Amino acid sequence: MGMEPLIETVDTFIVDIPLRRPHVMSFGAPDEVNFVLVRVRARGGIVGWGEAATFQGPTWSEESAETIQVVIDRYLAPLLKGRNALLYNPLMEELEHRFRGNHFAKAAVEMALMDVAGRYLGQPLHVLLGGAFRMKLDLSWSLASGSVETDIAEARDMMARGHRIFKIKMGAGPAEKDVAKLALLRRELGPEVGLRADVNQGWDRRSALRALRELEESRPDFLEQPLPKWDLAGLADLRHKSAIPLMADESLSDAHSALEIVRAGAADIISYKLTKLGGLARSLAVYRLADGAGLGAYIGCMIETSLGTAAYLHFGAVLPRLEYGCELFGPLLLKGDIATKAVAFADGQVLVPEGPGLGIEVDEAEVERYRRR
Ligand code: MG
């Protein structure tokens, strides 16, 4: 083995990439995704990249592209200079000890360090992590155009290309309309497709209970985060009153909140996102806890480029159980990408990249093209 990959420079870029169509969710309808890209250069000319995706400000979480960039530039990056990128776990724990929260910022940094480590060792990240259980993940496509007709047309188009799982975004309008929409999709798309729904914290206990009862006949695979993230008692109550499995997304931010979810009996399934959980190592720790408690697994997204999507895919590859697949469709919904070769999709699945590190080559001309000025 050659010289250790000591970190020489850490650069950040804010990149804004438009969506092919607005994505309507309970809290807003972003028409672009705002990324912070992290480029880590290490001794020997090794370059690794990381990414954090946000929806136009602190909307989904408390972090925005602007806060992520300043936290990395001013606080995280100075501690990384001169350190060995191979030792990313102790390095990330040091950052965790020194600086609170800011999970998206930390996840983007960890992603770049893991990319450097994989490239240095000449191995894909899933090999560094101990080996893949799968190299293809079942893909769910999110229907969120804001128009039922467009959603149905979009779903039919995706079905013609082999897609079999769809997630409907709810909570932007009255719950009754959401219920009627899912019933219509079930009728139009047939009994075989997998249908799921995500409310993004948009309901209160009463409307959620009423909606859950009416949603049952449309047979959704699960209902995601119907209540505000803090209302674990409410989620537990809904879970006992409905046959539809409940998924926790926003309620989960770390191992402590995972333990609270388990203790409260607030969910059947967990949605994993590398950014909200502060990185891949922490996501694996949460997975062990939740999986040990019998909760199912699903990989969510923040509409990442091929770069961020690849990191999520390596995570998905090394989970022993991934019962509900993933929604890593970001590269298909974004108008542009920053990879020389995008992540591959086929027959309703998304493929784990095979190259060293994250397995994605970043095209710096595309970074420059979408870079905020
Ligand atoms: Mg969600």
Side-chain angles (χ1 to χ4, degrees):
M1 211 171 286
M3 295 185 301
E4 291 171 344
L6 303 184
I7 297 164
E8 292 176 342
T9 61
V10 179
D11 300 302
T12 58
F13 309 87
I14 291 188
V15 161
D16 304 309
I17 304 183
L19 292 171
R20 293 186 183 279
R21 57 147 170 80
H23 205 58
V24 182
M25 295 176 276
S26 68
F27 54 84
D31 56 4
E32 66 173 14
V33 180
N34 314 111
F35 300 91
V36 176
L37 301 180
V38 183
R39 182 181 62 197
V40 172
R41 288 188 194 278
R43 192 165 67 173
I46 299 168
V47 179
W49 288 84
E51 169 187 309
T54 65
F55 301 135
Q56 296 180 316
T59 53
W60 189 91
S61 83
E62 293 85 349
E63 290 176 82
S64 71
E66 298 78 17
T67 69
I68 292 166
Q69 185 177 43
V70 79
V71 165
I72 295 173
D73 288 350
R74 290 194 59 145
Y75 302 106
L76 307 186
L79 258 78
L80 299 173
K81 306 272 172 68
R83 308 292 292 275
N84 181 357
L86 286 180
L87 310 181
Y88 52 79
N89 275 347
L91 253 177
M92 292 309 299
E93 279 303 308
E94 196 176 321
L95 295 181
E96 187 61 29
H97 180 71
R98 287 286 300 276
F99 305 111
R100 292 183 198 282
N102 293 282
H103 285 182
F104 282 57
K106 287 169 181 168
V109 164
E110 188 210 50
M111 212 180 279
L113 297 179
M114 287 181 164
D115 195 24
V116 168
R119 286 168 190 278
Y120 176 82
L121 297 168
Q123 294 292 335
L125 186 51
H126 62 82
V127 173
L128 259 65
L129 296 169
F133 287 88
R134 65 192 66 76
M135 290 302 283
K136 294 174 179 179
L137 277 62
D138 292 336
L139 180 71
S140 169
W141 175 263
S142 287
L143 300 169
S145 70
S147 143
V148 188
E149 294 74 28
T150 306
D151 285 349
I152 291 170
E154 207 173 276
R156 289 222 167 98
D157 182 50
M158 300 297 287
M159 285 170 75
R161 287 185 276 154
H163 290 268
R164 288 289 174 271
I165 312 172
F166 300 96
K167 194 168 101 172
I168 292 88
K169 287 292 196 177
M170 295 187 168
E176 307 83 73
K177 282 185 81 171
D178 287 334
V179 169
K181 181 174 163 180
L182 192 70
L184 180 63
L185 282 163
R186 173 58 77 201
R187 281 199 300 279
E188 292 289 325
L189 304 182
E192 300 300 323
V193 300
L195 291 176
R196 294 103 185 256
D198 185 0
V199 193
N200 287 108
Q201 317 185 64
W203 292 340
D204 59 22
R205 290 190 189 189
R206 278 175 190 281
S207 49
L209 182 58
R210 196 161 45 224
L212 263 168
R213 287 186 174 139
E214 291 165 5
L215 285 170
E216 274 178 19
E217 69 173 55
S218 298
R219 292 181 295 105
D221 300 333
F222 59 74
L223 182 71
E224 182 174 345
Q225 199 70 49
L227 299 180
K229 63 181 182 181
W230 49 265
D231 196 3
L232 300 186
L235 289 168
D237 186 50
L238 290 178
R239 213 177 135 234
H240 291 128
K241 289 174 178 162
S242 166
I244 300 174
L246 291 190
M247 179 183 288
D249 184 6
E250 284 92 334
S251 289
L252 179 80
S253 56
D254 53 20
H256 311 293
S257 53
L259 190 56
E260 291 304 314
I261 289 166
V262 169
R263 277 188 179 143
D268 300 279
I269 311 159
I270 291 292
S271 170
Y272 294 91
K273 290 177 182 166
L274 302 187
T275 44
K276 77 174 177 185
L277 293 169
L280 201 152
R282 289 185 166 257
S283 298
L284 282 174
V286 170
Y287 174 86
R288 291 292 180 195
L289 192 157
D291 179 62
L295 275 67
Y298 176 70
I299 300 185
C301 84
M302 298 294 294
I303 313 187
E304 281 77 8
T305 71
S306 284
L307 178 71
T309 297
Y312 280 64
L313 284 168
H314 288 285
F315 171 71
V318 302
L319 301 182
R321 285 157 291 283
L322 181 60
E323 298 90 341
Y324 292 88
C326 75
E327 57 183 32
L328 298 172
F329 57 76
L332 299 177
L333 190 58
L334 290 164
K335 264 190 187 153
D337 207 336
I338 52 154
T340 57
K341 191 164 165 274
V343 160
F345 296 85
D347 303 322
Q349 291 186 305
V350 50
L351 281 55
V352 182
E354 304 266 13
L358 297 178
I360 293 294
E361 301 306 321
V362 170
D363 185 341
E364 295 214 21
E366 292 302 300
V367 174
E368 190 57 31
R369 178 174 164 193
Y370 291 107
R371 193 165 66 86
R372 189 181 297 177
R373 275 155 241 279

